[in-house]
Amino acid sequence: MIANAAGALLSMASCVAGLVNPGIGLPEGEPVTGGVRFYAEAYGARALPLGAMVLQQLVRGRGGRVLPAVLLLAGAVQAGDAAIGVRTRNPGMALGAGALAVLHLETARRFARSAR
């Protein structure tokens, strides 16, 4: 639970960093265009509410059916981010998001299994 909360906070902090500096994930010398800013904002529109939902469910600690579903969604999103990191040759993004995907998906599996 603590690792998942830390992962959600880390993801939210990365999002805020990208909103403040949209070029943070771009290769050196790549220009920050209107499109880059647009996609940073679009990322923020999903990452911040999702992170807040993960944190809220973890704090509630009730498990049941909602927490595994939220963690499954968060894991799927992180897996997508990891794939983007691989495609763009961004090892920090690939490894960080990949680790969070594994963490969220495994925790979701364990909670779902214990809820049966």
Side-chain angles (χ1 to χ4, degrees), residues 4 11 22 26 31 37-38 64 69 83 87-89 100 110 116:
N4 287 95
S11 180
L26 295 177
R37 285 186 189 85
F38 170 81
R87 186 182 59 75
T88 60
R89 293 184 175 99
L100 290 176
R110 289 181 184 210
R116 289 185 205 164

Side-chain angles (χ1 to χ4, degrees), residues 7-65:
L9 286 170
L10 177 63
S11 180
M12 292 172 76
S14 294
C15 176
V16 170
L19 289 170
V20 171
N21 178 9
I24 198 167
L26 295 177
E28 187 71 31
E30 187 82 23
V32 177
T33 64
V36 170
R37 285 186 189 85
F38 170 81
Y39 278 101
E41 292 169 1
Y43 174 71
R46 75 144 168 103
L48 294 175
L50 178 59
M53 180 185 288
V54 169
L55 289 172
Q56 186 265 346
Q57 287 298 308
L58 289 167
V59 168
R60 287 180 78 191
R62 293 190 184 148
R65 293 186 176 143

Side-chain angles (χ1 to χ4, degrees), residues 60-104:
R60 287 180 78 191
R62 293 190 184 148
R65 293 186 176 143
V66 176
L67 181 57
V70 168
L71 289 172
L72 181 64
L73 175 61
V77 167
Q78 291 294 343
D81 287 348
I84 293 167
V86 168
R87 186 182 59 75
T88 60
R89 293 184 175 99
N90 182 329
M93 183 179 186
L95 295 173
L100 290 176
V102 170
L103 173 66
H104 290 326

